[in-house]
Amino acid sequence: MIEGYVHGYHARENERLQDQAGALVELLHHDTSYPPGSTVLEAGCGVGAQTVTLARRSPGARFTSIDVSAPSLAAARRRTDAMGIANVRFRQADVFALPFAPESYDHVFVCFVLEHLSRPVEALAILHELLRPGGTMTVIEGDHGSTCFHPDSGAAHLAIRCQVELQRRAGGNALIGRQLYPLMIAAGLDAVHVSPRMVYVDASRPDLVDGVTRKTFTAMIEGVRDAAIAAGLSDPAAFDAGIRDLYRTMEPDGVFCYTFFKGVGEKRRPA
Ligand SMILES: C[S@@+](CC[C@H](N)C(=O)[O-])C[C@H]1O[C@@H](n2cnc3c(N)ncnc32)[C@H](O)[C@@H]1O
């Protein structure tokens, strides 16, 4: 396990990552596909929540999916095996010490990983080195500062800020989505284009109420309750009021919005 990984690796978090990926597939991946024969490095694949979508959408591409966590990789492997996915190989590796030759991949894909790293530009620069000239890098991150909801609630915003603060203390950045463009440029990528992907949830979309508001976002904030209280960032009553108000947004007149950011850049070809 990597030290300070704010979400942890327990079973509930693994389920949350799968729910998140399932609910957001179209929003995040409708424009992700890789040509047959191309090689793709997925950095920080976790339990394979994005891996299965990537591999199925690009059945002719060959994926190498790495993560530092051996238990997560084992879960990812079980998942792809169960689905009969054969174009992915998994490998345990740290993004900061990758066992691959420079310019050995056509594409790199990174999702919800930079937010946990204290040196995100360095990580992107290392991944950039592994790209062939003309290859692409796709980076997806959320930004908790983009959250808005109805009915609005100061208590809910405070609970969210506890998560942001805990992640900051662990060396990460839960507000990193808004920084994708400058981070990718600083890592040396060319032709960077970032698109915001807002998920808007109201009662007319019960699948999103359940998959996004309940099982992805509120579950994540609830997951830091004990840590936030132990760190003195909140008291139990205030935190629980915030969580209650997030559940309130799932009622028939409630609304929840969150914006992800997807950046795609290229490795410059020599002039
Ligand atoms: C929030 S999970 C995201 C997993 C997956 N990309 C997804 O979208 O469901 C972040 C993952 O990054 C991995 N990770 C964090 N730091 C890493 C590092 N230095 N090298 C490789 N993986 C890392 C963690 O082990 C974890 O599985």
Side-chain angles (χ1 to χ4, degrees):
M1 185 189 293
I2 53 168
E3 211 181 317
Y5 176 48
V6 71
H7 298 327
Y9 289 100
H10 44 84
R12 195 164 168 219
E13 169 59 12
N14 293 348
E15 248 175 64
R16 193 189 70 80
L17 288 170
Q18 303 287 6
D19 287 333
Q20 167 171 276
L24 300 171
V25 162
E26 268 311 298
L27 182 74
L28 299 182
H29 292 300
H30 70 87
D31 51 356
T32 312
S33 77
Y34 299 109
S38 60
T39 53
V40 186
L41 174 65
E42 183 193 9
C45 63
V47 292
Q50 315 298 332
T51 314
V52 293
T53 301
L54 295 175
R56 279 177 156 172
R57 292 186 66 91
S58 302
R62 284 174 290 130
F63 292 86
T64 302
S65 296
I66 67 104
D67 202 283
V68 272
S69 161
S72 294
L73 284 169
R77 200 174 280 118
R78 278 195 300 276
R79 190 170 163 81
T80 50
D81 285 351
M83 292 179 162
I85 291 170
N87 56 335
V88 183
R89 66 175 181 144
F90 293 99
R91 189 155 173 180
Q92 187 175 11
D94 188 321
V95 162
F96 293 102
L98 289 170
F100 306 119
E103 303 193 353
S104 53
Y105 284 93
D106 297 311
H107 306 282
V108 167
F109 179 90
V110 197
C111 184
F112 307 142
V113 176
L114 296 187
E115 59 166 322
H116 299 295
L117 304 180
S118 56
R119 292 171 286 141
V121 173
E122 193 179 320
L124 290 179
I126 288 168
L127 294 167
H128 180 241
E129 282 288 301
L130 299 182
L131 272 179
R132 294 205 175 96
T136 69
M137 188 186 302
T138 300
V139 186
I140 300 175
E141 290 291 339
D143 188 320
H144 294 357
S146 71
T147 315
C148 66
F149 36 81
H150 172 78
D152 202 5
S153 154
H157 285 294
L158 276 176
I160 294 166
R161 278 208 288 278
C162 289
Q163 204 283 339
V164 172
E165 176 58 16
L166 286 170
Q167 196 158 336
R168 190 190 69 75
R169 291 182 186 186
N173 180 3
L175 310 176
I176 202 166
R178 68 190 73 176
Q179 291 180 35
L180 274 195
Y181 182 83
L183 292 173
M184 292 176 76
I185 293 290
L189 284 145
D190 197 24
V192 175
H193 176 73
V194 175
S195 54
R197 310 275 165 121
M198 188 179 83
V199 59
Y200 166 82
V201 184
D202 65 27
S204 69
R205 291 293 308 269
D207 54 330
L208 293 180
V209 172
D210 190 53
V212 173
T213 317
R214 185 190 317 281
K215 291 183 175 160
T216 298
F217 191 79
T218 305
M220 173 184 63
I221 303 301
E222 262 185 305
V224 302
R225 179 185 188 275
D226 295 348
I229 292 164
L233 296 174
S234 186
D235 60 67
F239 195 90
D240 293 343
I243 297 300
R244 250 195 328 273
D245 287 350
L246 284 175
Y247 277 99
R248 172 69 184 82
T249 71
M250 300 173 214
E251 289 182 19
D253 61 345
V255 171
F256 177 85
C257 292
Y258 186 93
T259 304
F260 297 90
F261 295 83
K262 179 172 184 174
V264 181
E266 279 179 26
K267 177 149 182 172
R268 193 172 290 121
R269 294 175 202 271

